[in-house]
Amino acid sequence: MVNGHTVRAPESGQMVKIDRRWKNGDEVHLHLPMHIRTNRWKENAVSIERGPLLYALHVPGKWNKIGEEYSVPIWEVQPQGDWNYGLMVDQKNPEQSFEVARPSKKGYPWSVKDAPIKLKAKGRKLSQWQPYMSVSGPLPPSPVHSDHPTEQLELIPYGSSVLRVSEFPVLKT
């Protein structure tokens, strides 16, 4: 839309040229469909994408300075919260498994607190998915069972997080 008036491409997937004299205050609004889709990975885990973005579960972390090299500090971050979740995903219609939230916050979009888009998902903690040698252990093969209660999870764009999980086991339905 230009100043509230619809401008359409001759065909889907075609370029649109807007030939006009532009002036201060003109507004252009683009509507770009953002469908949610899943991709399969090792052990039949899924990643969640919406439009061009990959989504991840942010894991709170504790930063520890572990050294210095050439006067540059070396840091490690250790998880300080749960990370081992399986997702409830309708594989035939993944859009039904997520709710898109657009927080009203403005700011630096590549941070956890100012992530511009969030996906709300349902999941359950997986006791069988444990750390191994200080990193997340091998993914349990999907579909996976969990006796833990269902929780509301928030996925944010991968680039808005530092410590994250972006491949998830899928829960049995």
Side-chain angles (χ1 to χ4, degrees):
M1 297 182 79
V2 176
N3 296 332
H5 299 288
T6 301
V7 177
R8 295 200 186 278
E11 290 181 39
S12 178
Q14 297 293 310
M15 289 266 249
V16 175
K17 179 180 178 184
I18 302 172
D19 187 13
R20 61 176 282 131
R21 181 174 293 275
W22 295 94
K23 57 188 182 298
N24 285 340
D26 282 343
E27 289 188 11
V28 176
H29 293 263
L30 295 176
H31 172 71
L32 303 172
M34 301 283 180
H35 300 290
I36 295 173
R37 64 189 182 284
T38 60
N39 281 312
R40 287 288 178 173
W41 296 93
K42 185 175 174 153
E43 301 297 357
N44 222 15
V46 294
S47 62
I48 310 301
E49 297 173 19
R50 180 175 177 269
L53 297 179
L54 172 66
Y55 284 77
L57 175 69
H58 164 69
V59 180
K62 180 180 178 190
W63 290 83
N64 303 306
K65 185 176 177 183
I66 59 171
E68 195 171 286
E69 190 171 317
Y70 304 108
S71 301
V72 176
I74 300 170
W75 295 87
E76 72 174 0
V77 59
Q78 292 291 323
Q80 296 295 302
D82 293 331
W83 54 268
N84 49 342
Y85 285 94
L87 290 183
M88 300 170 128
V89 179
D90 179 343
Q91 292 297 305
K92 292 181 182 168
N93 192 358
E95 302 241 356
Q96 298 301 311
S97 302
F98 301 92
E99 177 188 332
V100 178
R102 292 175 181 84
S104 59
K105 297 178 186 175
K106 303 263 188 227
Y108 185 66
W110 306 116
S111 69
V112 173
K113 75 177 186 71
D114 292 328
I117 303 283
K118 297 179 180 184
L119 297 181
K120 295 182 180 190
K122 289 190 167 105
R124 290 188 181 150
K125 192 164 191 238
L126 301 175
S127 298
Q128 65 271 44
W129 192 13
Q130 292 294 314
Y132 177 76
M133 298 180 72
S134 300
V135 296
S136 63
L139 281 162
S142 295
V144 65
H145 175 75
S146 173
D147 287 327
H148 288 273
T150 300
E151 295 182 44
Q152 181 82 27
L153 303 175
E154 218 174 57
L155 307 182
I156 62 175
Y158 183 92
S160 297
S161 61
V162 175
L163 191 58
R164 59 200 161 233
V165 174
S166 59
E167 290 181 28
F168 300 91
V170 177
L171 293 165
K172 287 181 183 177
T173 53

